[in-house]
Amino acid sequence: MSPSGKIGTILAIAISLVIAGVLVRDGRVLAAGIPFLLYAGIALVSSSESKKPQITVDRHLSADHITEGETLDVTVIITNVGPSIAWIGVAERIPRGLVVTSGETAHFAGLAEDAMTTFSYTLRAPRGLHTLPGADITTWQWMTLMSQQQFEPHETKFLAVPIAEPIDDIEIRPQRTRAYAGVVRANRGGSGIDFFGCHAYTTGDDIRRINWRAYARTRELIVNEYEQERIADVTVFLDARERANSRIGSEKTFTYAVRVAASMAKYFIKQGNSVGLFIYGEYMDWTFPGYGKDQMTRILESLARAETSDKEVFDDLQAIPTRLFPPRSQLVMVSGSLDEHDVEVLGVLRAHGYRIIMIMPDMLRYEASEIPKSEARDLALRIVTLRRKLILDALARIGVEVVQWDVADSLASLLSWTLSRRGRRLT
Amino acid sequence: MKRVTFVSAIIATVILALSGFCVGSIALGCAAIVIGAVWLLILWKSVKRTDLTILLCAETAIAVLNILYGASIYLAGIAIVVAIMSWDFALTETAIASFPAEMTKRFTIRHVIRIGIIAVIGLLLLVIPLQIHIQIGFRTALGLGLGSFMLFAMLLKLMNRRNKGRVGHHRAVVDRLAMLRDAMKKKDGRP
């Protein structure tokens, strides 16, 4: 209740009692109004004393970027730039989703003129861009009868970027690579480590590469060729369509999809490749390809802000602007689920010469464990599994490499094995 | 604070109900109990505390009716004072609810003491006029009442003006200090 409302109420009761006392001509009823009048009088004097507090709120964060699930220390500094305040209460407004793990988000004390007080707390934040909006300030003067409440806006933003798991070894074979040396096999003879082929000796060839066994057989100088290793263009494509990402309780496939995208981007950037990010859902969020740590930060920031969307325009993958992706480059697509139309679009991309790795976070086992066991559940599970298998087979037929990731398993070990050269050879 | 609020609400209800039953009105006694129960329920469930204002009005009305039915003015006065206390405690408790209890402990104690002092003064002011019997006419009484009301209003106005002056003076001092600091930074003496 506001101070004026409080005084008004009490004063109204007091006046009513006085009027009633005069009407019934009873001094006792008039006397009953005295406590109300006294309270209202003191409250009025108290409220005339209390002025709008002149407070400044400053907030310091231990970092402006954290990884999701990590904690962040927040220190709030309150300075009184006006006359002294008998009692002041400052309560931070904590947005939904943020969890306070330690410390207090509120402070209550007296504050002398030009005095300063601080309090700190620790937050745990999920992935996303978070804003701490400000603090609610309540002040009381020495009588403690009337309080003044105000909101002090002071926005502080910070990003909680997704976890990027360390992946050991992934082999990609895009049709086109860049001119600079890297670790991606370029399907072209030259200097390298892996044997690529032989050709007749020509002037200028390194004599250390002459294949002496072939010479012994043919009496002709033949030189070994090795496969060149270069950097490649990699585009990480994150499917943020609502229908492609299922939600089971508080768990979302999209959370895992974002984690996969971050892990893959981190791996390819670490290998020295040019990596871009494309988020397809709310709008076409395109992070232009680049190299190095700055590019990784840009990608993580985009992924931190990524949300699912059910926009009709992006309902199927037809609207993918292929001109954005470097021609015949490597695409790493992350999607919760696909349908027949999406497979067609991927077929077109393959026909354009793109190499595609499709990683699909799979929550089917988790979802099934959440539903009580019944015949209907088993039947539904079977239908969904069969449908998924059909889609995966169709993808395999058009030459898309598919990795199904059961979210209960480790992502790093799965990718490091399935997409490694050795893993591919054995599976 | 919660305990004090509950205790004061119970005391107010018991006194009102007892005085109602004492004057032979079961309806007034029962009404006091019902209002008290609703009051306690609001406090317990922590629902919208502004509803307590309506209950305060109702309790006052029952107290006045008790007086008119012949109950002791002192008992009714105590009930009214304690009801105001409970109402104030409930609203203050809501205002400090978002702060840690250990931080607000000192504030709570001071607030309870101050409200207690106001309650005692209020009771004294209620009792003293009933003990002193002065015969004055209605017009004189009305004139005195209006005069004291105007005096109080003037006093408030004066206090407001004084406070505005004080804040203005404070702001001027701060501005001057800031100008001086800027001039020192520029080192040319000009503000």
Side-chain angles (χ1 to χ4, degrees):
Chain A
M1 188 182 262
S2 68
S4 55
K6 210 172 170 181
I7 296 170
T9 307
I10 293 291
L11 215 54
I13 297 172
I15 291 166
S16 307
L17 286 173
V18 170
I19 292 167
V22 171
L23 284 176
V24 297
R25 292 194 170 202
D26 194 330
R28 293 173 306 166
V29 179
L30 265 172
I34 291 173
F36 289 100
L37 275 173
L38 180 75
Y39 185 97
I42 294 170
L44 264 171
V45 173
S46 184
S47 69
S48 72
E49 279 258 307
S50 61
K51 293 285 153 221
K52 197 182 174 213
Q54 293 164 4
I55 302 287
T56 58
V57 177
D58 206 6
R59 200 185 286 111
H60 293 293
L61 306 183
S62 59
D64 54 358
H65 277 67
I66 55 163
T67 306
E68 66 173 311
E70 274 184 359
T71 55
L72 176 81
D73 297 325
V74 183
T75 308
V76 182
I77 303 162
I78 308 143
T79 316
N80 179 17
V81 289
S84 69
I85 299 163
W87 300 97
I88 181 167
V90 182
E92 278 269 83
R93 282 192 189 175
I94 306 293
R96 197 178 285 178
L98 300 181
V99 181
V100 179
T101 53
S102 65
E104 293 290 353
T105 56
H107 191 70
F108 197 93
L111 207 58
E113 198 173 327
D114 291 327
M116 201 167 73
T117 182
T118 60
F119 64 97
S120 52
Y121 56 95
T122 310
L123 283 175
R124 175 165 284 127
R127 180 187 60 84
L129 175 66
H130 303 285
T131 308
L132 295 169
D136 286 307
I137 296 175
T138 316
T139 52
W140 286 266
Q141 286 306 331
W142 70 275
M143 265 311 287
T144 69
L145 218 57
M146 305 305 287
S147 64
Q148 273 203 335
Q149 284 185 323
Q150 67 179 81
F151 174 67
E152 189 69 33
H154 186 268
E155 281 194 358
T156 312
K157 292 184 177 183
F158 69 94
L159 263 179
V161 298
I163 298 167
E165 292 190 27
I167 299 166
D168 281 344
D169 184 27
I170 294 177
E171 194 194 28
I172 51 167
R173 295 299 298 268
Q175 287 189 10
R176 209 161 114 173
T177 51
R178 292 210 163 200
Y180 310 107
V183 292
V184 178
R185 292 198 287 159
N187 206 19
R188 189 177 292 200
S191 58
I193 297 165
D194 292 317
F195 179 74
F196 185 68
C198 300
H199 66 86
Y201 176 83
T202 51
T203 319
D205 279 340
D206 191 351
I207 29 173
R208 285 176 300 180
R209 289 191 181 171
I210 291 172
N211 190 332
W212 294 109
R213 286 184 185 172
Y215 172 75
R217 262 201 318 275
T218 59
R219 289 286 154 190
E220 274 179 27
L221 283 173
I222 289 170
V223 179
N224 283 344
E225 266 191 326
Y226 295 90
E227 191 167 13
Q228 284 187 22
E229 287 182 343
R230 293 182 175 181
I231 60 164
D233 287 303
V234 180
T235 305
V236 178
F237 179 98
L238 178 63
D239 187 355
R241 293 173 299 162
E242 192 74 50
R243 71 174 177 87
N245 294 284
S246 56
R247 180 197 289 262
I248 303 132
S250 59
E251 290 281 323
K252 272 172 90 176
T253 325
F254 191 66
T255 313
Y256 296 99
V258 169
R259 198 172 294 175
V260 174
S263 308
M264 293 300 272
K266 188 184 177 186
Y267 172 78
F268 288 117
I269 282 180
K270 206 173 150 193
Q271 297 290 320
N273 298 299
S274 165
V275 181
L277 174 75
F278 190 85
I279 303 169
Y280 188 81
E282 175 74 23
Y283 54 96
M284 290 186 201
D285 186 355
W286 172 236
T287 307
F288 200 77
Y291 311 87
K293 278 184 185 171
D294 287 347
Q295 178 68 1
M296 190 61 217
T297 310
R298 278 193 285 273
I299 286 175
L300 285 178
E301 280 177 6
S302 289
L303 286 173
R305 291 190 189 94
E307 288 299 332
T308 53
S309 168
D310 56 355
K311 278 197 178 159
E312 193 68 32
V313 186
F314 303 117
D315 193 48
D316 58 29
L317 297 179
Q318 298 274 5
I320 292 179
T322 45
R323 66 185 179 282
L324 288 179
F325 311 142
R328 291 184 287 158
S329 63
Q330 178 71 49
L331 294 183
V332 177
M333 303 186 98
V334 188
S335 179
S337 75
L338 296 170
D339 62 15
E340 292 77 9
H341 298 290
D342 300 333
V343 175
E344 269 177 41
V345 177
L346 294 186
V348 172
L349 283 172
R350 280 289 296 133
H352 279 106
Y354 291 103
R355 289 279 181 146
I356 303 173
I357 294 173
M358 172 65 72
I359 303 168
M360 298 175 83
D362 182 9
M363 289 179 78
L364 216 58
R365 206 168 72 182
Y366 173 75
E367 197 174 352
S369 69
E370 291 290 299
I371 304 165
K373 202 173 179 186
S374 66
E375 227 172 81
R377 186 204 77 160
D378 291 343
L379 184 65
L381 187 65
R382 204 165 152 229
I383 293 168
V384 174
T385 314
L386 281 171
R387 194 168 180 278
R388 189 173 260 261
K389 198 171 180 313
L390 273 173
I391 298 287
L392 295 185
D393 286 347
L395 285 172
R397 272 199 302 278
I398 58 171
V400 175
E401 279 185 279
V402 185
V403 181
Q404 267 209 93
W405 172 41
D406 187 335
V407 294
D409 300 334
S410 158
L411 170 72
S413 56
L414 175 84
L415 292 180
S416 302
W417 170 251
T418 321
L419 297 175
S420 69
R421 197 190 295 187
R422 196 156 164 261
R424 276 193 177 118
R425 230 179 271 151
L426 291 171
T427 49
Chain B
M1 181 69 96
K2 202 164 193 169
R3 211 178 300 157
V4 186
T5 316
F6 265 93
V7 169
S8 49
I10 292 167
I11 291 170
T13 308
V14 168
I15 293 171
L16 271 183
L18 276 178
S19 56
F21 288 130
C22 283
V23 293
S25 172
I26 297 165
L28 280 177
C30 289
I33 290 169
V34 170
I35 290 167
V38 176
W39 188 300
L40 289 174
L41 196 75
I42 288 174
L43 290 180
W44 183 48
K45 287 278 175 191
S46 295
V47 286
K48 220 176 153 192
R49 295 240 165 138
T50 41
D51 292 347
L52 284 178
T53 308
I54 300 161
L55 295 180
L56 179 70
C57 295
E59 283 213 340
T60 311
I62 288 171
V64 169
L65 286 173
N66 277 347
I67 294 166
L68 292 176
Y69 271 85
S72 160
I73 173 69
Y74 305 117
L75 269 182
I78 292 169
I80 286 172
V81 166
V82 177
I84 296 172
M85 279 171 78
S86 182
W87 174 78
D88 179 87
F89 288 153
L91 293 181
T92 310
E93 197 200 327
T94 316
I96 60 170
S98 53
F99 306 107
E102 60 269 22
M103 284 185 190
T104 55
K105 204 174 174 183
R106 262 182 64 210
F107 170 84
T108 307
I109 293 166
R110 283 197 187 182
H111 184 72
V112 171
I113 290 168
R114 270 166 203 165
I115 290 292
I117 292 167
I118 294 170
V120 170
I121 295 169
L123 265 176
L124 286 174
L125 286 177
L126 190 145
V127 172
I128 293 164
L130 291 171
Q131 301 299 324
I132 303 163
H133 297 281
I134 306 166
Q135 293 286 332
I136 47 167
F138 180 74
R139 282 183 186 173
T140 324
L142 193 71
L144 272 172
L146 281 173
S148 56
F149 183 76
M150 281 175 74
L151 203 72
F152 182 69
M154 275 170 67
L155 199 75
L156 269 179
K157 209 173 176 183
L158 270 171
M159 281 177 77
N160 258 336
R161 203 174 287 168
R162 203 189 63 188
N163 277 336
K164 268 180 196 164
R166 199 191 294 161
V167 172
H169 173 72
H170 179 267
R171 207 170 286 159
V173 170
V174 170
D175 288 349
R176 253 175 260 149
L177 278 171
M179 273 169 69
L180 192 67
R181 212 178 296 133
D182 286 350
M184 282 169 78
K185 266 184 198 167
K186 285 176 187 167
K187 288 180 182 173
D188 59 356
R190 278 184 296 134

